[in-house]
Amino acid sequence: MGQKLTKGQVVTAAARCLFCYQAPCQQACPAAVDVPGFIRRLKTGNWRGAAGVIRRANVLGGICARVCPANELCEGACSRVRLDGRAVAIASLQQAAMDTWYSLNLTTPIPPLTGARVAVVGAGPAGVAAAAELVRLGHEVTLYEAGTDPGGTMIACIPASRLPLEVARAEVEKALAGVEVKLGVKVGRDIAWGKLQSEYAAIFIATGLGGGQKLQVPGADFEGVLVAEDFLARAKKGEQPALGQEVIVIGGGNTAMDAAQVARQLGAARVTVVYRRTVKQMPAWPVEYQNALAAGVEFAWLLQPVAILGEDRVTGLRCQRMRLGKADASGRQRPEPVKGAYLELPASNVIIALGQQAGPVAAELGLATTGTGIAVDERGMTSKAGIFAGGDVVNGGRTVVQAVAEGRQAARSIHAYLGTGKEGA
Amino acid sequence: MVVDLSLEFCGVKYPNPFTLAAAPPTDNAEMVARAFEAGWGGAVLKTTSVESEEVSLVYPMMHGLDFEDKRLAALENIDLISEHHIDVVEKNVRWLKKEYPGHVVAASIMGKTKEDWQILVRRLEDAGVDLIECSFSCPHGMPERGMGSTIGQDPELTERTARWVKEAARRVPVVIKLTPQIADITAAARAVQRSGADGVTAINTVKSLIGIDLDSFVPYPNVSGYSTFGGLSGPAIKPVALRCVAEIARSVPIPVSATGGISTWQDAAEFLLAGARNLQVCTAVMRYGFRIIDDFKEGLSYYLESKGMSSVAELVGRSLPYIVEHSQLPRNGRVVARIDEEKCIRCDGCYLACLDGGHQAIELGPERLARVNSERCFGCAMCRAMCPVPDCIHMVPHPGPAEFGQV
């Protein structure tokens, strides 16, 4: 996650880059940003060129600089680590390049139109990246978004401390230059999929996931039980959701870490993350776990919630004690109940962070699916010709940069598809 | 083992060879006193001239050259000689010699006429200096008045002027400071030798234009909208200075005081190996202060000790036998690059250097491990020069036939 650098720090940080040829940082980046290329330009003060290199691969470079798990991706692969133990500050440099470029307030030329119309459904990172790339390739793009703001879950839920609202909004707005954006239009409800299919030469589906899962236990509808995604979105909007003193967060992913930290920021005295396996199996990034610890969040391992306690209002959480058994399909040790061992924890609120469920789009369109979402081929095309998909709706929910990469790739595939007639139809 | 750093130069015994060059750090007696307290062996006071020579300084007078994130790879100045009246310089000499009799106090002088030069020598000799250095080499300001490098660029003028100075000196040795801005610096050194002067100092700053402001188009330093060519000093000119010192040391028997980019004890050792008997420093002092003398002396001492030497004099000129004409270089030993796989960090920089700047002799193996194709490698060593890992690429004897064209 990038830090803000001064101009002097940019020069110092950029000078540490070894300018590898088949650069491992670029290979580790889902969007394949030419990292040595933009760092070389930063080093010479060529800010416009640096931002251009980033934007060509990742039109949401400023957002990704802030939210990417850089230590797992580009910085984790950096050759400099093997020279003197510390990676080049790639995310911070990318943030500096993009922030400076936005401060110049330049406009990018929009190329002449090819005449082809493409619909993009969903304005999260995949949809925005696809729309931007399609415009750059000369296509006429309409972006449909069910919500009131473009940017998707990324903008709505990632805490402002990591991704300030104004930074994200400004970048998305810039990325969508030349795109016709229709907000508050839910395809399949407000407009039929069939209408899109008849009016557009191709469709890109990037509707993401279908919202946070609910906990299927008694008491799940008590007052004080919150879904993490809704909680984070309300907090980010500044609504300050009312919390009591004892907050339990259920789940072990990054959303759980974010929700726990935000609960602390909102004043909860004690925030405990309850997870059914242990820290070793937890899907949250290590850096997110560390951030949560630093924020004073506590962790209770090997607990499976079985009931939310209370009468209308939450007073606690009853959990089954678990132990680790054999590895499951994901290679992680499967938690197994310890017979007869239960634990009750007091709670004023329970925040459910069990991930999001798949949306209804695949069923609505009759598209083939995989274990994670809509099935696509190497071009990003679904089982129906002319309908492409990418981002969380395909991969089941990964990183912002992964969604950007899939959106951009799909846009290029759509370009090829449109240029060669309806090949494969 | 105690290492003796004292070194005699032109018959003057220096407690150590580290001397402040004629420049701003030696313009005041108080500064020189602090340097002596810190441990410097000697100082050449900032150049003085006769009172009729007007010194009209302009500001700003300096500008640095950055290399990537490093400041001061080089420094350009358009400074002139000391603004002090010669009476002040004489007073400084007297005071310094009284307070610091064990340290070497040299004066730098610059004149136009025979009378100027001879008056300067006599006055400073009377004041008690240990050595006179004559600037025949300042590249800016003075040449347009027939002084500085105008003299040093003409061997005849050099010989004649040096002779005037030497004639006037009764006691102190006379050293001529040369400019690198000459086709053959050994011609100037031979002219000094013919004049009877005692030694040479090499080199003065290199005439340069350090950069241009891309907004205003005015070069640096910007003096109210105008600039002029200046003199370059600092690490960037060290290789030029080292070459000049070696060339002079090979061609004349008179001793050389080296100056030009000496910034570390390693630089100092190299100049001694190239034949210098005295070392002058300015830019590194301006950057790091007089305190760097400690590292200079310690580093050089420990180095000498590691070489089993007890005196710095043992180093002088030791590299000269290894410098030959290009045509005399051995041509029977073919080498190739070898990359240490344990040390290689897989940056593949050597691969790119050889691909775009060499002979396409490095191939990328599995996991981006660079490997040298010894059939294609000519042993140019470009890869070794750019590799970011110390001691990762070595040049080793070619495994096949020694002659080119037989592979």
Side-chain angles (χ1 to χ4, degrees):
Chain A
M1 277 157 244
Q3 306 287 317
K4 195 170 169 57
L5 300 182
T6 64
K7 225 170 166 182
Q9 287 170 328
V10 166
V11 175
T12 310
R16 296 188 70 246
C17 179
L18 299 171
F19 302 95
C20 301
Y21 178 60
Q22 292 174 6
C25 47
Q26 181 172 8
Q27 291 174 0
C29 176
V33 170
D34 175 7
V35 174
F38 91 73
I39 292 183
R40 162 73 202 180
R41 287 164 175 81
L42 280 186
K43 199 163 84 165
T44 65
N46 177 5
W47 295 90
R48 288 178 63 180
V53 167
I54 297 163
R55 292 190 91 240
R56 272 195 286 283
N58 182 348
V59 78
L60 301 179
I63 290 171
C64 288
R66 289 168 169 85
V67 305
C68 260
N71 51 340
E72 317 263 328
L73 301 173
C74 53
E75 292 179 15
C78 179
S79 298
R80 186 89 208 194
V81 174
R82 295 185 287 278
L83 182 64
D84 56 14
R86 191 163 55 88
V88 173
I90 299 168
S92 301
L93 287 168
Q94 178 164 316
Q95 183 173 328
M98 295 314 302
D99 287 357
T100 305
W101 188 76
Y102 288 118
S103 75
L104 298 174
N105 201 23
L106 302 171
T107 50
T108 40
I110 293 173
L113 294 176
T114 59
R117 298 181 69 210
V118 180
V120 174
V121 184
V128 170
E133 188 68 13
L134 286 163
V135 165
R136 186 148 61 190
L137 294 168
H139 304 295
E140 199 178 325
V141 181
T142 309
L143 175 62
Y144 293 92
E145 165 59 40
T148 52
D149 275 314
T153 311
M154 155 185 90
I155 286 191
C157 290
I158 297 176
S161 55
R162 258 165 68 208
L163 183 60
L165 207 51
E166 61 281 6
V167 169
R169 278 192 178 144
E171 181 155 71
V172 168
E173 189 186 323
K174 202 85 175 177
L176 291 177
V179 177
E180 184 191 12
V181 182
K182 297 199 169 188
L183 296 173
V185 180
K186 188 172 171 67
V187 180
R189 180 190 70 193
D190 305 322
I191 180 170
W193 283 103
K195 192 165 162 61
L196 257 56
Q197 283 173 280
S198 63
E199 284 185 7
Y200 296 93
I203 299 173
F204 178 62
I205 299 171
T207 47
L209 296 167
Q213 292 184 37
K214 294 212 167 79
L215 191 62
Q216 306 296 330
V217 299
D221 53 356
F222 284 167
E223 198 184 328
V225 178
L226 306 164
V227 174
E229 287 78 7
D230 302 339
F231 166 72
L232 287 168
R234 284 172 57 205
K236 189 156 183 185
K237 273 191 226 157
E239 286 179 18
Q240 306 250 341
L243 290 178
Q245 288 303 298
E246 298 252 13
V247 175
I248 288 177
V249 178
I250 300 172
N254 289 326
T255 303
M257 302 304 115
D258 284 346
Q261 289 173 67
V262 169
R264 286 282 295 155
Q265 285 159 19
L266 289 174
R270 186 163 187 194
V271 177
T272 309
V273 170
V274 168
Y275 181 53
R276 62 193 181 127
R277 308 190 209 215
T278 73
V279 64
K280 273 192 190 161
Q281 294 81 28
M282 199 165 72
W285 301 329
V287 62
E288 279 283 271
Y289 171 57
Q290 291 302 327
N291 288 344
L293 286 178
V297 172
E298 294 171 40
F299 286 80
W301 311 113
L302 294 166
L303 293 178
Q304 170 80 50
V306 291
I308 291 173
L309 307 174
E311 285 177 33
D312 300 337
R313 218 204 123 82
V314 179
T315 58
L317 183 71
R318 182 173 166 81
C319 301
Q320 161 93 58
R321 282 198 188 276
M322 309 295 278
R323 65 170 164 240
L324 291 178
K326 290 195 174 127
D328 64 12
S330 72
R332 295 184 300 171
Q333 281 184 284
R334 189 198 302 272
E336 295 168 350
V338 180
K339 258 190 189 159
Y342 292 91
L343 180 72
E344 289 185 2
L345 300 168
S348 52
N349 295 86
V350 173
I351 300 176
I352 316 295
L354 294 174
Q356 297 187 72
Q357 60 220 353
V361 177
E364 285 172 15
L365 277 164
L367 300 174
T369 57
T370 66
T372 57
I374 295 174
V376 294
D377 63 15
E378 68 286 352
R379 295 170 298 175
M381 191 150 84
T382 66
S383 53
K384 287 201 173 169
I387 300 182
F388 296 74
D392 287 2
V393 75
V394 167
N395 65 40
R398 290 173 68 187
T399 55
V400 173
V401 67
Q402 179 67 31
V404 168
E406 289 178 21
R408 180 176 178 276
Q409 184 49 48
R412 299 180 84 82
S413 298
I414 290 168
H415 181 64
Y417 170 79
L418 295 174
T420 54
K422 302 213 169 187
E423 173 227 338
Chain B
M1 181 167 52
V2 177
V3 175
D4 180 11
L5 285 184
S6 72
L7 196 56
E8 167 272 326
F9 173 65
C10 294
V12 180
K13 173 122 174 162
Y14 286 69
N16 64 64
F18 296 104
T19 304
L20 296 172
T26 59
D27 202 23
N28 287 303
E30 177 270 332
M31 293 166 84
V32 176
R34 277 196 288 118
F36 286 164
E37 295 286 348
W40 289 79
V44 185
L45 303 186
K46 195 177 180 192
T47 307
T48 188
S49 188
V50 290
E51 54 207 332
S52 57
E53 277 300 329
E54 190 201 350
V55 180
S56 172
L57 302 181
V58 291
Y59 296 91
M61 57 167 61
M62 297 191 192
H63 201 85
L65 177 72
D66 297 346
F67 179 72
E68 300 188 345
D69 61 333
K70 300 289 190 298
R71 304 284 280 168
L72 228 57
L75 178 71
E76 186 193 281
N77 80 85
I78 52 170
D79 192 9
L80 297 174
I81 62 174
S82 175
E83 289 181 291
H84 295 316
H85 190 278
I86 181 151
D87 293 350
V88 176
V89 178
E90 283 176 315
K91 208 177 91 195
N92 288 345
V93 170
R94 283 199 184 89
W95 182 77
L96 283 166
K97 277 317 292 183
K98 182 163 88 39
E99 297 293 321
Y100 300 95
H103 295 256
V104 176
V105 178
S108 169
I109 59 171
M110 188 188 281
K112 199 180 285 175
T113 65
K114 181 179 178 180
E115 289 68 35
D116 292 349
W117 285 105
Q118 296 193 334
I119 286 166
L120 287 164
V121 174
R122 287 187 191 116
R123 289 187 63 167
L124 290 157
E125 196 174 44
D126 290 346
V129 292
D130 297 307
L131 181 144
I132 294 278
E133 183 179 276
C134 307
S135 174
F136 287 11
S137 44
C138 178
H140 50 85
M142 310 319 285
E144 59 206 74
R145 292 150 72 173
M147 299 160 79
S149 62
T150 302
I151 304 170
Q153 285 169 335
D154 179 343
E156 274 183 43
L157 206 50
T158 296
E159 183 180 344
R160 188 168 69 204
T161 313
R163 207 181 289 278
W164 292 339
V165 182
K166 186 60 189 168
E167 275 170 15
R170 287 153 298 181
R171 173 181 64 82
V172 298
V174 172
V175 173
I176 308 299
K177 188 168 181 178
L178 297 177
T179 173
Q181 307 294 122
I182 181 169
D184 178 8
I185 198 163
T186 65
R190 283 193 299 271
V192 173
Q193 188 203 344
R194 285 195 301 273
S195 76
D198 303 272
V200 296
T201 296
I203 56 176
N204 207 315
T205 54
V206 182
K207 194 172 187 178
S208 60
L209 189 66
I210 193 136
I212 295 175
D213 181 340
L214 293 179
D215 288 326
S216 66
F217 307 159
V218 179
Y220 299 112
N222 179 332
V223 182
S224 303
Y226 292 89
S227 193
T228 189
F229 302 115
L232 195 71
S233 65
I237 71 164
K238 183 201 125 185
V240 177
L242 194 59
R243 181 268 298 173
C244 288
V245 167
E247 278 200 301
I248 294 166
R250 289 201 316 163
S251 63
V252 293
I254 54 174
V256 188
S257 176
T259 183
I262 298 173
S263 310
T264 63
W265 62 264
Q266 287 96 334
D267 294 338
E270 289 178 33
F271 276 97
L272 293 164
L273 288 165
R277 294 195 66 84
N278 182 254
L279 306 164
Q280 297 186 26
V281 184
C282 169
T283 309
V285 165
M286 296 173 96
R287 168 68 182 80
Y288 301 106
F290 296 131
R291 62 186 173 168
I292 55 164
I293 186 63
D294 291 337
D295 183 43
F296 276 151
K297 291 200 297 191
E298 286 166 18
L300 189 58
S301 297
Y302 295 144
Y303 166 71
L304 289 166
E305 205 178 292
S306 75
K307 287 285 167 191
M309 297 181 188
S310 57
S311 163
V312 70
E314 292 178 59
L315 268 192
V316 176
R318 291 284 287 273
S319 291
L320 295 176
Y322 306 112
I323 303 174
V324 297
E325 297 305 313
H326 189 279
S327 58
Q328 295 168 334
L329 289 168
R331 284 173 159 73
N332 52 3
R334 189 178 169 191
V335 294
V336 291
R338 179 173 293 161
I339 300 164
D340 185 333
E341 295 188 9
E342 296 294 309
K343 288 185 176 157
C344 175
I345 60 167
R346 275 70 165 164
C347 73
D348 54 24
C350 57
Y351 169 77
L352 180 61
C354 196
L355 180 70
D356 289 1
H359 301 93
Q360 301 79 51
I362 297 181
E363 295 156 3
L364 282 188
E367 300 188 348
R368 301 166 61 248
L369 177 65
R371 285 220 181 84
V372 178
N373 176 342
S374 34
E375 296 312 308
R376 294 192 68 97
C377 177
F378 284 76
C380 75
M382 175 61 206
C383 54
R384 184 179 62 180
M386 65 66 52
C387 177
V389 184
D391 298 324
C392 179
I393 299 183
H394 294 272
M395 307 312 292
V396 299
H398 190 277
E403 299 298 322
F404 287 111
Q406 295 181 7
V407 291

